[in-house]
Amino acid sequence: MSKSRVVIIALVVIVIAFISISMQKKTEPQNDVASSGSSEPSEEHILRVGWTAEADILNPLTSWSTEAMQITYLVYEPLIGYNTDLEIVGKLARSFETSEDGLTITYKLRPNAKWHDGEPVTADDVIYTHDIIRETGYTNVAQFAEFWESVTAADDHTVVVKLTQPLAFNYACLMPIMPKHIWDGKDGDEIALFANEEPIGSGPYRFVKWEKGSTISLVRNTDYDGTQPGPDGVLFVLYGNEDVAVQALKAGELDVIMEVPPTVWEGIKDVANVKAISLDSYSLHEIGINVAAESYSKGHPFLRDIAVRRAMRHALDTKQMVEIVLGGHGDEGDSLIPFGLKEWHYEFKPGERMGFDLENANRILDEAGYKMASDGVREKDGKKMEFRLMAVEANATDVRGAQLYRDACAKIGIKLTLSTMDENTMGDIVYNKDAPDWDVFMWAWDSDYPDPAYMLGVMLTSQIGVGNEVYYSNPKYDDLYKQQLAELDHDKRKAIIDEMQKMFYDDNCFLVTWYQDKLQAYRTDTFTGWKEVTGGIIYGVTYDNYIDIQPVK
Amino acid sequence: MSRTVYVARKAGQLFATLFFIAAFNFCLFRILPGSPLTLLARKGNLSADVVARLTSLFGLDKPLWQQFLIYLQNLATAEFGISMTFRRRVIDVISERLVNSFMLLALASVFVIAIGISCGIVAAMRRGTALDRTIVVSSMAGWSFPTFWTGLIAIIVFGTYLHMFPISGIVTPGMRYATSWAETVDILRHLFLPTLTLIIVDTAQFSLVTRSALVDVFTEDYILTARAKGLSENQVLSRHAMPNAMLPIMTTTALYVSLLIGGAIEVETVFSFPGMGKLMYDSVLLRDYPILEASFFLFAAFTVFANFVTDVMYMIVDPRVKSL
C-alpha cells in the first residue's frame, strides 16, 4: 500500500472521529451547571441577545458604543429612566419631585439600594457622579453641567439638585450613578484610560464575564430591591454578520436580535415561534449641504445661494427613496426631528412642504440666473454647477439613496459626482473645520434620547465642526434653542420647537431623506411579555424589557 | 560561501526588513485619512474640549517624529501601547485573538497541506486517469468558490439543516464545562466548519503545485533511469521524484504558513470567530493605530521569519544553494 493511501486513510479516520464526537455530544445534557458548584436550579432562563458589533469598554463615563450602553444601563442605574410606555419613572430614585419654579429637583433614593459589592448606595454617590461629569466633561450629560447651581445631600438617601434655570429635559435619565468608593480619586485622564473590566453598579443585573470577541454575560442581581428581572441572566452574543445571527435565531440559539436587515426581515415573518417587528425609530438619514461661511469654506460657492438649495430640495423624491431604498420600511423625511419623536415631530402643512417637483426646481434655477448649457449642466459667471457627493460605502441604503439623488439632480442641470468611502475618511473631510473641502454628502443620525433637544442641539453654531456637520449658523435658531431648553410648559415649548424645525427646514442645508424603521425579531417560545416600543424593544431608550419579560412556563 | 555566512547574511536581511516594516507600518496608518477620534464628536454632544483632551491623551497632537519615537518604544517593550478603542494594553487585546486565529489556522493548515500534497501525488502518479481529473477538477472548483459562500453553504448544510455542528463562535455561549475535556470537545466542534471551509478552498494550492512539480520531474531522464534500474514506483517517488519536486511545494508551504497569524478574515466573519482577521478589519475602520501597528508588525515579522526558515531549509534540501 502506498504512503499516500496511508495518509488518506488516517485523515478519513480523524474526520470520522470528529463527526462521532459531535454526535455523541448531542446526547449529553446541555448545561453542566451542577458541576460548577452553583446552587441554581438546572432550569436557568438566560436571555440570549444577538448583536453584530462589540462593546468598546464598560466604563459608563467614556464608552462610545451603543452596545456598551446596553450593559452599563443594566449594571449601573440612573436616578430615573424610561419605562416601556416611554414615561419617565424612578429607577435608583424611588421618587423625585420638581419644585414649582423648576429650579429644584429632589430625589429620594431607594433606601435599601446596594452596590454589587455590598456597600450601600448613598446621596454621596449621586453627588460624586455630578462632580466627576462636571469636572471631566465626559458623557452627553456634561452639556447640562453649566445649569447645576448645587447638588447636595439632605440626608443619606435624599439628593437636592438646584438649577440656575429650569430644564425642559431631565438629564438624570442619561446619567448612570457611579460608586464613589470605587471611582473617587481618579482624574479625567485616568478615567479615559480606565477599561473598568469588572464593573460594580447597583442595577438589576450584575456583570459576570466578558469573553472578548464573543460574549458578555450578566446575571440577575438577587439583592436588587426594585422589580426583579424575569430572566435569570442576559447573555450578549457577538455575530460576524446579521445573516448568521438570524440563522441562530431561527435555530433557537438566540432569543432576540437587535437589528434585522430589511431583506431578511421579510423572510422570517412567517417562521414558527419567531416574531419579526417593525418599529418607528429615532434615526434619520439626510443629504447635507456645505453652508460654511465664505471666509473659510472650500465648498462650491453656489451652495451658499438659498435658491440653489431650494431647487435641490425640490429634486429630492422622498417617496421614491422610501419605496426603493427601504423597501417601504420607513417614512418620508422632512424635519430634523425624527418621526419616532411623534409629538415633537413637526407636521408640515401642504404649503410649507417643498415636495418633489422638478419643474419647480428648474424654474427656481432659471430665475436665479443659472443657465442651462448644451451639455445639460447649468452654469453662471463661467462656473459649472458641478458638486461633489460623498456617501459611506458600507451603508448600502445611503449609497443607493445617493445614486437616486444624483440621477434626479441631473434632470435639473446639477451634476453630482458620487464617491464612496469609509465613514472615518468621510468624517475627516466633513469635520475639517478650518477648511471644509466638500459640497454634499449623504449620512445619518440617531437621537440617543427621545427629546427634541438632542437633534436640535446638533445644529447650534457652537457645535460647528463637532456635531454640526453642515456648518449651519443662525443666531435666531441658537436663541430659540436656549428658550426651549428652559420652557417647562409643554405647549409653549412645542411652539418654539415647531418654529425651529420650520426655520431649519426652510434654510435647506440638511435635507432629511427618510426615517428608517427599526426592524427587530424575537422568539416567542422562550420569553413572553415583550413590549413593542418606539426605538426598539431593546437598543432603544428603555431597558425595562430586560426586566419585565418572563420565561415561558 | 560557507553555510554560516549564508545563514548570517539571511539573518541580517531579516532584521533590516523588520526595521523597514516597523517604519513603513507607522507611516501607512498615519497616511490614511481620519483618526481614532474623528467620529467621537458625532455621538452625543461631546464638547470640543473633551475631544482635544483625548487627542492629547493619546499623543495624537504631538509632532509625527515624537509619535514615531513613542511607537518604537512601544514596539521595544512588546506591549504595543494602549488600544484607543478598548483602552487596554494592545498586547492583551491581540494575544487573545492571536491564540484563536492560530488554533484555527494551524489545524486547517495541517489538513490543507496533508490533503493537498497527497492528492497532488496521487494525481501525478495516475496522470490522465479519471482519478487525476476528479482531483484536479474538484480542487479547482473548491478554490474557485468564494470563501464566504462556501462558509455559508457549510452553515446551511451542517448547521441549519443537519444540526451537526455549531455555526458561530469558538465555544457554546454560556456553557459551563464539567471537565476540560468537555471544553476541548466543544472548541473542536466549533472549529469544524471553519476548518472544513478552509480545506475546501485552500487544498488546491497544494494539490496543483505538487501535481505539476511531479509531472515535470517524471519526464526527466533520471526517472527513466531509476525505473530502468528496476525500482518500484514507490521507490522512484520517494527517492528520486519527491526530493526534486520539493522546492515549489516548500515555497507554497512557507507562504501559506506565514498567513497563520494574520487570521482568515472571510472565514472569521462568516463564522463569527473571534480572531485576528476580524480584529484588524474592525481596527482599520476605527483607526485604532496601536492595534493596527502591532498586528501588522507581528504579521509581517512572522512572514519574514517564515521566509527565513524557508531559505535555510532550501540550503538543506537543495544542494545547489550550498555552492552559491
Side-chain angles (χ1 to χ4, degrees):
Chain A
M1 198 158 65
S2 73
K3 273 184 200 164
S4 58
R5 287 190 198 181
V6 176
V7 172
I8 290 173
I9 289 170
L11 287 177
V12 169
V13 169
I14 291 170
V15 170
I16 290 172
F18 225 140
I19 294 174
S20 57
I21 285 172
S22 84
M23 295 307 234
Q24 172 204 348
K25 186 70 191 173
K26 284 179 78 175
T27 60
E28 283 178 19
Q30 268 301 303
N31 269 337
D32 309 312
V33 174
S35 61
S36 68
S38 158
S39 58
E40 291 281 305
S42 58
E43 259 312 281
E44 269 201 318
H45 300 284
I46 306 288
L47 175 70
R48 297 156 303 173
V49 183
W51 64 19
T52 51
E54 188 159 45
D56 49 357
I57 53 169
L58 302 181
N59 180 336
L61 291 176
T62 55
S63 72
W64 301 329
S65 65
T66 320
E67 285 73 22
M69 276 170 69
Q70 295 294 303
I71 312 289
T72 51
Y73 274 70
L74 294 175
V75 173
Y76 294 87
E77 214 180 8
L79 289 166
I80 55 176
Y82 291 91
N83 66 10
T84 50
D85 292 321
L86 296 183
E87 298 156 344
I88 293 264
V89 293
K91 291 285 173 190
L92 185 59
R94 182 184 51 182
S95 63
F96 62 103
E97 216 173 38
T98 309
S99 65
E100 194 89 357
D101 58 5
L103 292 176
T104 309
I105 310 174
T106 309
Y107 298 96
K108 290 210 179 297
L109 307 185
R110 292 197 321 270
N112 297 322
K114 282 196 182 74
W115 297 108
H116 297 157
D117 61 3
E119 297 285 319
V121 179
T122 68
D124 277 350
D125 296 312
V126 180
I127 297 170
Y128 168 77
T129 308
H130 279 86
D131 287 347
I132 196 70
I133 287 175
R134 174 162 37 198
E135 195 185 307
T136 59
Y138 295 148
T139 80
N140 51 22
V141 173
Q143 62 181 306
F144 300 100
E146 60 172 307
F147 308 117
W148 302 341
E149 192 181 296
S150 68
V151 183
T152 51
D155 61 51
D156 261 6
H157 296 101
T158 309
V159 181
V160 180
V161 178
K162 283 205 190 305
L163 302 169
T164 55
Q165 67 158 64
L167 288 176
F169 172 71
N170 191 341
Y171 61 86
C173 62
L174 310 174
M175 186 171 74
I177 300 302
M178 321 278 296
K180 184 184 178 189
H181 68 281
I182 291 176
W183 292 71
D184 205 11
K186 289 189 187 359
D187 68 16
D189 288 355
E190 283 167 337
I191 287 175
L193 293 176
F194 183 46
N196 195 27
E197 297 206 61
E198 282 168 4
I200 298 284
S202 61
Y205 286 98
R206 289 167 191 268
F207 172 82
V208 180
K209 201 174 183 192
W210 183 356
E211 295 281 356
K212 305 281 172 355
S214 54
T215 57
I216 296 182
S217 49
L218 307 179
V219 65
R220 183 156 58 98
N221 176 10
T222 46
D223 294 334
Y224 184 67
D225 63 335
T227 313
Q228 277 284 320
D232 294 311
V234 186
L235 185 71
F236 294 87
V237 187
L238 181 65
Y239 286 86
N241 60 76
E242 285 151 344
D243 294 309
V244 180
V246 169
Q247 292 293 337
L249 182 82
K250 279 160 101 176
E253 290 173 23
L254 278 181
D255 301 314
V256 59
I257 304 188
M258 62 165 280
E259 193 117 41
V260 181
T263 42
V264 181
W265 190 88
E266 294 294 336
I268 55 170
K269 268 196 306 191
D270 305 320
V271 174
N273 297 324
V274 170
K275 179 139 193 242
I277 48 176
S278 171
L279 304 163
D280 285 335
S281 78
Y282 298 117
S283 72
L284 60 84
H285 287 242
E286 87 277 3
I287 289 162
I289 300 173
N290 186 348
V291 290
E294 194 178 354
S295 55
Y296 65 101
S297 176
K298 300 257 191 228
H300 199 292
F302 287 177
L303 294 172
R304 287 192 289 275
D305 181 350
I306 182 75
V308 172
R309 302 202 303 271
R310 280 177 59 215
M312 287 174 77
R313 169 86 75 179
H314 281 302
L316 175 64
D317 190 348
T318 51
K319 186 157 180 273
Q320 177 201 41
M321 290 211 179
V322 170
E323 277 168 12
I324 294 181
V325 179
L326 300 184
H329 293 292
D331 296 281
E332 293 178 48
D334 42 39
S335 163
L336 173 65
I337 294 179
F339 194 66
L341 280 153
K342 295 178 181 69
E343 54 169 338
W344 300 106
H345 174 83
Y346 182 67
E347 280 299 324
F348 285 86
K349 297 174 187 76
E352 295 169 344
R353 207 169 185 280
M354 288 175 262
F356 176 61
D357 187 346
L358 293 179
E359 231 170 87
N360 205 354
N362 272 315
R363 195 179 45 76
I364 292 170
L365 289 173
D366 287 341
E367 283 171 6
Y370 297 94
K371 297 271 173 301
M372 188 71 94
S374 55
D375 61 355
V377 180
R378 289 174 186 272
E379 54 187 37
K380 187 181 183 179
D381 305 331
K383 228 172 152 48
K384 299 291 270 181
M385 209 168 211
E386 289 175 344
F387 307 137
R388 295 159 290 176
L389 171 63
M390 302 183 291
V392 179
E393 62 192 344
N395 297 349
T397 53
D398 283 359
V399 174
R400 189 76 192 99
Q403 288 165 342
L404 290 172
Y405 188 60
R406 174 193 62 196
D407 298 346
C409 280
K411 292 182 187 146
I412 59 168
I414 298 178
K415 186 178 175 196
L416 293 177
T417 311
L418 174 63
S419 50
T420 60
M421 54 199 78
D422 87 305
E423 191 162 29
N424 214 306
T425 304
M426 193 165 111
D428 201 48
I429 297 170
V430 170
Y431 285 118
N432 176 18
K433 64 180 160 193
D434 299 325
D437 191 4
W438 56 275
D439 299 324
V440 185
F441 64 71
M442 179 108 196
W443 216 351
W445 270 96
D446 267 295
S447 181
D448 279 358
Y449 46 89
D451 188 84
Y454 183 92
M455 280 312 301
L456 293 174
V458 167
M459 295 305 159
L460 295 173
T461 306
S462 61
Q463 285 287 311
I464 281 181
V466 188
N468 183 346
E469 54 205 15
V470 292
Y471 298 78
Y472 180 69
S473 177
N474 182 341
K476 179 120 191 280
Y477 178 94
D478 295 350
D479 195 48
L480 286 172
Y481 179 83
K482 282 191 193 125
Q483 283 181 35
Q484 63 79 30
L485 203 60
E487 183 54 69
L488 293 184
D489 184 283
H490 179 277
D491 292 345
K492 284 187 192 153
R493 184 177 183 219
K494 169 126 176 79
I496 301 171
I497 286 177
D498 283 353
E499 194 185 342
M500 290 177 78
Q501 292 180 70
K502 265 188 288 186
M503 183 186 285
F504 187 69
Y505 181 87
D506 289 339
D507 282 331
N508 286 304
C509 56
F510 189 92
L511 317 179
V512 180
T513 52
W514 64 71
Y515 311 111
Q516 197 159 342
D517 287 345
K518 188 100 158 190
L519 303 179
Q520 300 182 317
Y522 61 89
R523 285 196 75 86
T524 52
D525 56 351
T526 49
F527 290 92
T528 66
W530 289 104
K531 186 118 185 252
E532 295 182 15
V533 195
T534 299
I537 54 175
I538 55 170
Y539 281 76
V541 297
T542 176
Y543 297 86
D544 277 7
N545 267 317
Y546 287 107
I547 317 289
D548 295 346
I549 55 166
Q550 296 296 330
V552 171
K553 291 275 157 20
Chain B
M1 195 172 74
S2 75
R3 281 186 178 210
T4 330
V5 174
Y6 175 79
V7 172
R9 207 172 73 180
K10 287 288 173 193
Q13 285 171 1
L14 175 93
F15 284 107
T17 315
L18 283 182
F19 182 79
F20 175 75
I21 288 167
F24 179 75
N25 255 347
F26 178 82
C27 304
L28 181 66
F29 299 114
R30 312 279 156 160
I31 287 171
L32 274 180
S35 89
L37 303 173
T38 308
L39 295 174
L40 278 193
R42 221 170 171 266
K43 288 215 70 182
N45 292 331
L46 208 58
S47 67
D49 292 347
V50 172
V51 175
R53 174 185 205 147
L54 293 170
T55 307
S56 97
L57 189 60
F58 288 126
L60 296 171
D61 57 342
K62 293 198 172 70
L64 269 185
W65 65 269
Q66 275 188 24
Q67 292 190 41
F68 185 64
L69 288 184
I70 295 171
Y71 162 73
L72 284 184
Q73 194 186 340
N74 285 337
L75 275 189
T77 57
E79 283 190 2
F80 304 110
I82 303 278
S83 154
M84 295 172 188
T85 317
F86 302 107
R87 259 71 51 85
R88 297 165 62 221
R89 289 193 314 161
V90 170
I91 186 70
D92 295 339
V93 176
I94 285 188
S95 53
E96 288 160 2
R97 306 299 188 101
L98 212 52
V99 169
N100 293 343
S101 273
F102 192 82
M103 188 165 63
L104 168 62
L105 288 160
L107 184 67
S109 301
V110 170
F111 284 97
V112 166
I113 294 171
I115 296 177
I117 294 179
S118 315
C119 287
I121 292 173
V122 172
M125 292 182 75
R126 304 272 185 281
R127 190 180 167 200
T129 63
L131 183 62
D132 176 29
R133 282 195 294 275
T134 311
I135 288 174
V136 170
V137 170
S138 59
S139 51
M140 279 300 282
W143 199 6
S144 314
F145 294 146
T147 310
F148 68 89
W149 183 84
T150 310
L152 285 173
I153 296 295
I155 284 181
I156 290 167
V157 174
F158 291 98
T160 316
Y161 180 62
L162 291 176
H163 286 289
M164 274 170 61
F165 291 99
I167 59 176
S168 70
I170 189 160
V171 290
T172 307
M175 177 77 90
R176 276 171 270 177
Y177 302 100
T179 59
S180 55
W181 168 242
E183 186 175 1
T184 310
V185 170
D186 194 40
I187 292 174
L188 282 176
R189 293 185 65 232
H190 280 82
L191 284 173
F192 183 84
L193 289 183
T195 309
L196 180 72
T197 308
L198 285 170
I199 291 173
I200 294 174
V201 174
D202 289 343
T203 301
Q205 292 182 29
F206 290 91
S207 60
L208 297 184
V209 164
T210 308
R211 181 183 175 278
S212 64
L214 275 177
V215 164
D216 274 351
V217 171
F218 278 141
T219 61
E220 298 286 344
D221 291 341
Y222 57 80
I223 297 289
L224 191 66
T225 313
R227 286 190 178 129
K229 283 195 295 191
L231 294 184
S232 74
E233 274 304 297
N234 281 335
Q235 283 168 325
V236 172
L237 180 73
S238 58
R239 285 193 207 157
H240 297 282
M242 275 315 275
N244 285 296
M246 269 322 275
L247 290 183
I249 299 175
M250 259 174 51
T251 311
T252 311
T253 309
L255 285 175
Y256 192 77
V257 169
S258 66
L259 296 173
L260 271 181
I261 67 161
I265 179 144
E266 282 179 286
V267 169
E268 285 176 12
T269 304
V270 170
F271 293 100
S272 315
F273 194 87
M276 283 298 286
K278 192 83 173 51
L279 179 70
M280 281 198 264
Y281 177 72
D282 292 341
S283 299
V284 169
L285 294 184
L286 293 167
R287 306 285 192 276
D288 196 330
Y289 297 144
I291 289 201
L292 289 172
E293 285 158 356
S295 40
F296 274 69
F297 180 78
L298 287 178
F299 185 27
F302 196 82
T303 309
V304 171
F305 184 72
N307 280 325
F308 172 71
V309 172
T310 315
D311 284 340
V312 175
M313 292 282 284
Y314 267 8
M315 190 178 74
I316 295 163
V317 173
D318 188 348
R320 284 169 297 181
V321 175
K322 284 175 211 161
S323 57
L324 276 178

